[in-house]
Amino acid sequence: MFKCHICSSEESRIEYVTEIFKIDGKFHLVENILATVCSRCGEEIFSREATESIRSMLHGKPEPIKSISVDVFSYQPESKVA
Ligand SMILES: [Zn+2]
């Protein structure tokens, strides 16, 4: 039975989600991963099988289906900026 480890909600839904995996310092964005998503807080939970198969797929250096450019920001607390 599902129980969210963030908010303890017991309601979830199954969705296809997009997740970024960092392997060997390189980011890999993987689409269409079947995940259990918490109905309350949106936490995405992947099965151990899904995580393992994605990681082994990425370690096999697959050809990406497309490339996207991503703007990267670094969070800085306001107190440090001032
Ligand atoms: Zn939750």
Side-chain angles (χ1 to χ4, degrees):
M1 186 179 175
F2 175 81
K3 186 166 188 189
C4 178
H5 63 278
I6 303 289
C7 71
S8 298
S9 168
E10 293 183 351
E11 284 179 39
S12 65
R13 55 184 189 270
I14 303 295
E15 272 185 21
Y16 286 101
V17 302
T18 299
E19 183 73 10
I20 293 172
F21 294 84
K22 190 179 182 184
I23 291 175
D24 297 335
K26 206 179 161 201
F27 291 100
H28 301 73
L29 189 149
V30 181
E31 294 178 323
N32 300 320
I33 310 169
L34 205 56
T36 303
V37 180
C38 174
S39 297
R40 192 189 291 171
C41 74
E43 172 72 2
E44 298 165 354
I45 297 104
F46 303 110
S47 68
R48 177 185 281 269
E49 291 77 16
T51 309
E52 293 285 311
S53 72
I54 289 164
R55 289 203 171 270
S56 63
M57 177 188 85
L58 292 176
H59 278 292
K61 310 247 188 294
E63 283 292 310
I65 57 166
K66 64 188 174 190
S67 287
I68 59 168
S69 70
V70 180
D71 294 327
V72 179
F73 302 89
S74 180
Y75 170 69
Q76 294 190 338
E78 284 185 36
S79 57
K80 274 193 173 178
V81 176

